[in-house]
Amino acid sequence: MLLLSLLLACGPDPKVVATGLSSPNPAVRSDMLDLARKVVDPQVSAALVTGLSDPSPALRVKALEALAEQGDLSVVPQVAEALSDPEHSVQVAAAETLGQLADPAGAQPLIDWLSEQERPELNGIWALGEIGDPVAIPLLARLVDHRDPYVAYNAGQALREIGDAPAAQVSAPETPQEPTPTEQEAPETPEPAAPSDAPPLRKDRTPPPKSQKVAWPPG
């Protein structure tokens, strides 16, 4: 932590951070991964991609999280490859990163990854909604009828995120409405909420603004 504090005090040099990411000391690599989140530079991005093969699953996850904050869309193919990582936690982190990067190139790898799962990962479904590519609509439309209510609910939300008009008519689980108040009452407009018997959305996380959005319907 002393090294990290010194670098923060002096202003991080991308070359120093990139070099530190390849340190044989896992503690140094971990510190550099924390610092790399805020150092947007091609050298650092390249070093983070190398970090996706780190011996430590926890550091591979941190490398993915740093790539998400860097926002470099050129790393999408390497992040997509991490969906086949032997560690499940790394796969989930890769799905989240693809969702945060929100590049259409990440949609098909996510579709392939989710299609192999008996109970599709909620974070992968969320990521498809964030990417917003209509190529995901057939899979999501099937998942709204999934026997797992968590999967069905989140698939419906992802369809709404994509904003496809036909998809909006898919029978996804709806939020129950309160009874209409009488004229004598002064009702407040409640915020939409998930139904009590439906699962919550993926864990709360605020992704960076999407740099690309696919228009739908095309034309």
Side-chain angles (χ1 to χ4, degrees), residues 1 4 29-38 62:
M1 291 303 295
L4 180 59
R29 297 201 303 275
S30 180
D31 283 349
M32 291 300 102
L33 285 167
D34 290 332
L35 189 58
R37 293 170 178 263
K38 305 303 180 185
K62 291 184 74 171

Side-chain angles (χ1 to χ4, degrees), residues 100-125:
Q100 288 181 272
L101 293 174
D103 188 277
Q108 191 59 52
L110 280 166
I111 292 169
D112 295 340
W113 181 64
L114 291 167
S115 297
E116 296 172 354
Q117 302 168 11
E118 181 177 351
R119 195 269 192 181
E121 281 289 340
L122 302 186
N123 286 21
I125 296 171

Side-chain angles (χ1 to χ4, degrees), residues 126-151:
W126 166 85
L128 287 176
E130 290 296 298
I131 292 172
D133 194 319
V135 71
I137 290 174
L139 172 64
L140 295 172
R142 292 197 302 272
L143 292 182
V144 295
D145 293 323
H146 198 278
R147 64 181 178 277
D148 187 314
Y150 283 67
V151 172

